[in-house]
Amino acid sequence: MSRADISLNRFAEDKLAELEARQQRRRLDVSDNTSGMRVRRGGRDFVNFCSNDYLGLSQHPAVLDAARNAVTEYGAGSGASRLVTGGYSALFELEAKLAAFKGTEDCVVFGSGYMANLAITPALVGAGDLILIDALAHACLFAGAQLSRARPVRFAHNDMGDLRRLLEKHRAGRERAIILTDGVFSMDGDIAPLPELLALAEAFDAWTLVDDAHGLGVLGRGKGTAHSFTSPAAAPLQMGTLSKSLGSYGGYLCASRAVCELLRSRARPLVFTTAPPPASIGAALKALELIETGAVDTDRPLALARRFCRSAGLAEPATPIVPVILGAEEHALRASRELNALGFLVTAIRPPTVPDGTARLRITFSATHDEADVDVLAAAVAELRQNAVAAE
Ligand SMILES: *Cc1c(COP(=O)(O)O)cnc(C)c1O
């Protein structure tokens, strides 16, 4: 081995040892879907309670057919960036359908939700501008903020008093300001107070980007978080993913025509990357159609989460993401193993994905879960929590 190989490997091994010591080393398991919400891991079958496939559409026969048909029609890959020859017609069709569904003028599709957030913020703000970001926003909103070279300032999670204070302090003297938030927070399952947030944004002439990765297909009869309030609270920049309730892969931004056109010309993760593959776009188109036409029950994931929480003695959930916060990493890991032994796959979520001392189980509900499985899981979680209290 060359000197550089040796120093490189030593660096990686030292870092891994540090992670191991903090119980933060991750291992990637083979997880093969067998049917519905069932998954095979290490030769054993589990009911999957940690998928984001809220409607089970990644396995829906009509969605699979649509993916196959798109491959037949357009091929396995798109061959180039959309600015060159990667723009097959299904991509444009999906953008038109998403814009119509969300009630915006236009939509741009990206390679993934993560890429969409790397694209949007840097295309709109730059050095000297102001970014206000919820402290618990998704990692890719932070990554987009960082790439923009504007100055990100965190506001306390869902705290509109803090957001107002920071706008009062930092807004003056900056040309542009943008507020970044999740619609549904991915690790806590709570919802951003969009009506109040958008009123503040308006008062301070700040733009708002809402990441609705976990709202689309699940809240507001499938239309997303903006439609879960008494009157719709739609931000000017509505981002989301094709990778969760749509059961496919990709990301999008629904916005005005001018904003979408600007992104088509200037968003680097669109310009300098190959257009998403036809199978994913064909699948997403069919999934969206199933949601729009009411062929799938978009209310069921939340209804199952409510049933679970009532039965497990947890507070009423606002979304199908239910966190069971256990504190230390080892408590969450042990709880996850105990649920594995009962045939449930529920992963432990640990720092740095969540703040220190808030390691948790994150349980997600899908329309394709059975009530019986939900009830058995609820009884197991109720017992886990009782034992945790007794142990303290
Ligand atoms: C999953 C997720 C993303 C990333 O979407 P992908 O399509 O998986 O890249 C972005 N934001 C939030 C809030 C998410 O939960």
Side-chain angles (χ1 to χ4, degrees), residues 52 54 110-117 136-141 181-187 211-214 239-244 248-252 321 362:
N52 300 313
Y54 294 108
F110 296 89
S112 74
Y114 198 108
M115 289 223 296
N117 276 334
L136 296 187
H138 193 267
C140 58
L141 282 173
T181 184
D182 292 15
V184 172
F185 287 84
S186 54
M187 296 298 137
D211 176 339
D212 213 24
H214 297 276
M239 171 273 164
T241 175
L242 314 179
S243 321
K244 288 169 182 161
S248 181
Y249 194 70
Y252 68 85
I321 300 172
R362 172 182 179 271

Side-chain angles (χ1 to χ4, degrees), residues 262-275:
L262 176 64
L263 277 144
R264 288 185 181 103
S265 294
R266 298 305 297 241
R268 300 176 69 84
L270 179 93
V271 173
F272 295 106
T273 196
T274 303

